[in-house]
Amino acid sequence: MEDEEQGGEWAPKAWAHLSSVRSLSPLIQCITNFVSMDLTANTLLSAGASPAMLHSSSESPDFTPQVHALYINVGTLSDGWLPAMTVAAELATKFNKPWILDPVAAGASGFRLKACLDLLSLKPSVIRGNASEIIALANASFGSSTRGVDSSHDSTDAVESAKSLANSSGAVVAVSGAVDFITDGNRVLRARNGVPMMQKITATGCAVTALIAAFVAIDPSHALEATASALAVFGVAGEIGMEMARGPASLRMHLIDSLHGLDQTAVISRVKISAL
Amino acid sequence: MEDEEQGGEWAPKAWAHLSSVRSLSPLIQCITNFVSMDLTANTLLSAGASPAMLHSSSESPDFTPQVHALYINVGTLSDGWLPAMTVAAELATKFNKPWILDPVAAGASGFRLKACLDLLSLKPSVIRGNASEIIALANASFGSSTRGVDSSHDSTDAVESAKSLANSSGAVVAVSGAVDFITDGNRVLRARNGVPMMQKITATGCAVTALIAAFVAIDPSHALEATASALAVFGVAGEIGMEMARGPASLRMHLIDSLHGLDQTAVISRVKISAL
Amino acid sequence: MEDEEQGGEWAPKAWAHLSSVRSLSPLIQCITNFVSMDLTANTLLSAGASPAMLHSSSESPDFTPQVHALYINVGTLSDGWLPAMTVAAELATKFNKPWILDPVAAGASGFRLKACLDLLSLKPSVIRGNASEIIALANASFGSSTRGVDSSHDSTDAVESAKSLANSSGAVVAVSGAVDFITDGNRVLRARNGVPMMQKITATGCAVTALIAAFVAIDPSHALEATASALAVFGVAGEIGMEMARGPASLRMHLIDSLHGLDQTAVISRVKISAL
């Protein structure tokens, strides 16, 4: 099975996506949480994209129409930031820019869950979360009262929720985990790169969602494939980084260095994407 | 003297505390300053705890009752954040969760000093600061008008202030410095781990206070001992990190890697805690 | 030409500036963007300065009069932060403290451009930006309607804009790029240190502006020379860091380590500053 996955038709696509990001350097507006801003910006820069960490609703009307994609992450959500997210998402939709949602800890509070649902109604192109976040969103979208911060769900558990959420929202939905699943409600792709220690670095989930925004920015009509490519490429950078790491902090450094230095051979030989 | 301190009865306790954090992975809500969020979250993850960087007063009513401890740090305080801190601290007290206060630069302004005193009245379990911060808080608690940002005080100078503050507040008070002092107003422990270069890394003080929250979360009825353990363990990680470091930035990386990798032998042989 | 630049009269001045920062440890209040806070504070600490990341307008009246310089950076500007910047800048001017402006993405929106112009009217001592930012500010100061986020301008293109802006504002203006230009409107200095990969690390521009604040703090009557020294010293740290780096993330680490460890020989032999 693994032999089929490695290389195949998907790895060249992932390399093509990364190459396009490097040559086109898409401008990505990021409205993300305070914890992840540094890693998010450095991830985008290392991949060849241009991060723009602008969030004020006083300037999105001027700025959002000029970007190639918008990334919204609700990690350190507060009343003050939610309107800014809404304004930017509306502008992205209006100007036909892809926008990507990371519903961090969607089930942690009623306030947060409602905020995520409100953002969902503004038609994101892609939603990426862990299994618990995607299950919480899918359940809430269908009126279930399930809520919590439980992150013990396996990504496999969330595949059906992801498909439902994709169908109801019109977005591509990605569930991160030991195996990543990516679905448009119909097709399901599976990406199997990365190492467990990436979970011990704060904001790696936020960073890979930003990378998805960059990949979707340069191939918006194939958001499913671009999302899978971004997840796999980030995972490959983590695998190579892990070969040099002595713990989570050095892994973080080597991951970013590796993302910057990734060459065709590494991507082609390591990317593991397959259709489910 | 040093022979008595190393090992002894305290080092096994420190190892037991760290082992419990790793196995129980306590959920720690962090309302901390912008500068420290990345290092704080990574410190908690490397120690085996689960950081939750949620601060909005719109969601603390749902979330704080579910956490194992709350960490509040006033580093980049503003009018907008203070009510959120107050709401979370009140919830922690109401739901009998330990909460830990880091009164960064307590004496830097009248606004900040008053905010710290207000938070103090909400009954933190532990307060950790440097000598100047603890002296400023103790003086203000007793109506002295001394105020300033002087950080030239030695931690030894602050032991009496710490005891007074512990007695008046009911909190365990820790004073960080070349030697750390920890007191409940009656007993005084001394921890002597760490290296001077840790002072050249921003937010190491904030990070160790978060680690205290994780240690107290798993042993709330022994906050004095848990606080001393956290300070010593963080210091040991710094000592091991220093053996590989070439400057403050590589020390920061190696410290976090070391905290993640600490084994029983290293902790038992290096922890230096003693009763004063 | 390069032979003339290396060493010469300027390198000993740069070393003298760095030595003064290390011995005097100036207190620098930083009101900067969320992305850069960590790197900014660590840059100042590594250079020997004391960062104070306090921004609230509730405490600047108490705190700003005590600092040696103020650093304002508009990177993640919002309506809520602008008044705090204004209050602090006014206090700095009132108490005769140098204050330094980093007009990040000055042309990205009308809101941002107006904010930068308003701050400009509060008499900063130094303004540091890339070519596009300086051109946008200069054009706006003279009523031109040019606006945009184009960062493709070369620093050479911006020299005349920088001179105009220096003359109209009374500030020293620095334009960063492959070559840095620093002008008081009359004299123009050129600094040629650094490596291209520094552009792939978020917030290096913000960090060097903070370093300028520290250098100007200890030599406020020679802001032109102090600014050139700071830019060259940061570039030298990047050059030495690059010898050990494997990508942007390890460069970031080695740069900060190198800045901390810089000795007289390295500074004297590497600093390349010359009068234009």
Side-chain angles (χ1 to χ4, degrees), chain B residues 135-158:
Chain B
I135 291 171
L137 269 189
N139 286 349
S141 296
F142 295 101
S144 159
S145 62
T146 303
R147 201 177 74 207
V149 291
D150 185 350
S151 59
S152 64
H153 290 288
D154 200 282
S155 55
T156 319
D157 303 338

Side-chain angles (χ1 to χ4, degrees), chain A residues 38 42 45, chain C residues 33 35-37 39-40 201-208 234:
Chain A
D38 177 281
N42 280 321
L45 284 169
Chain C
N33 67 77
V35 191
S36 73
M37 286 188 184
L39 187 63
T40 294
I201 311 167
T202 196
T204 44
C206 311
V208 76
F234 194 71

Side-chain angles (χ1 to χ4, degrees), chain A:
Chain A
M1 189 59 163
E2 196 160 308
D3 290 298
E4 289 179 59
E5 285 181 13
Q6 277 175 279
E9 60 176 315
W10 297 99
K13 281 186 192 167
W15 172 247
H17 279 129
L18 177 59
S19 300
S20 292
V21 170
R22 287 176 176 174
S23 60
L24 298 173
S25 195
L27 181 63
I28 312 300
Q29 182 180 2
C30 301
I31 305 185
T32 187
N33 68 75
F34 302 122
V35 191
S36 73
M37 287 189 183
D38 177 281
L39 187 62
T40 295
N42 280 321
T43 297
L44 288 172
L45 284 169
S46 294
S50 287
M53 318 303 278
L54 279 75
H55 68 279
S56 170
S57 50
S58 296
E59 62 186 339
S60 285
D62 282 4
F63 191 71
T64 307
Q66 305 181 50
V67 305
H68 298 104
L70 167 69
Y71 167 41
I72 294 181
N73 175 304
V74 301
T76 50
L77 191 64
S78 62
D79 294 284
W81 278 64
L82 190 51
M85 294 175 180
T86 304
V87 165
E90 287 172 344
L91 286 161
T93 301
K94 179 178 173 189
F95 287 91
N96 207 25
K97 313 285 185 180
W99 79 270
I100 319 300
L101 175 65
D102 192 326
V104 178
S109 73
F111 168 71
R112 186 174 287 255
L113 192 59
K114 182 177 182 312
C116 289
L117 294 175
D118 288 349
L119 288 167
L120 211 56
S121 73
L122 301 175
K123 299 290 171 199
S125 306
V126 183
I127 306 164
R128 194 231 40 105
N130 64 32
S132 299
E133 291 156 356
I134 297 303
I135 291 170
L137 270 189
N139 286 347
S141 295
F142 296 100
S144 160
S145 62
T146 305
R147 201 179 73 206
V149 292
D150 185 349
S151 58
S152 63
H153 290 288
D154 200 280
S155 55
T156 319
D157 302 338
V159 174
E160 290 312 310
S161 294
K163 289 174 76 172
S164 302
L165 185 60
N167 280 315
S168 65
S169 68
V172 165
V173 176
V175 189
S176 291
V179 180
D180 304 320
F181 294 96
I182 308 98
T183 182
D184 58 7
N186 181 23
R187 299 160 66 201
V188 180
L189 299 181
R190 188 172 58 170
R192 303 207 301 154
N193 292 101
V195 294
M197 196 182 276
M198 290 164 73
Q199 310 264 4
K200 292 290 181 188
I201 310 168
T202 196
T204 45
C206 311
V208 77
T209 314
L211 195 65
I212 290 170
F215 276 52
V216 171
I218 51 90
D219 194 7
S221 57
H222 300 93
L224 182 76
E225 292 81 355
T227 299
S229 289
L231 286 160
V233 163
F234 194 71
V236 167
E239 292 169 10
I240 296 173
M242 194 66 208
E243 292 168 9
M244 291 170 280
R246 307 173 68 134
S250 52
L251 175 56
R252 174 180 157 147
M253 180 181 77
H254 292 306
L255 187 162
I256 296 295
D257 277 2
S258 298
L259 181 57
H260 180 262
L262 277 183
D263 61 20
Q264 187 170 5
T265 305
V267 172
I268 298 289
S269 65
R270 285 175 178 267
V271 160
K272 295 184 198 170
I273 300 176
S274 59
L276 196 67

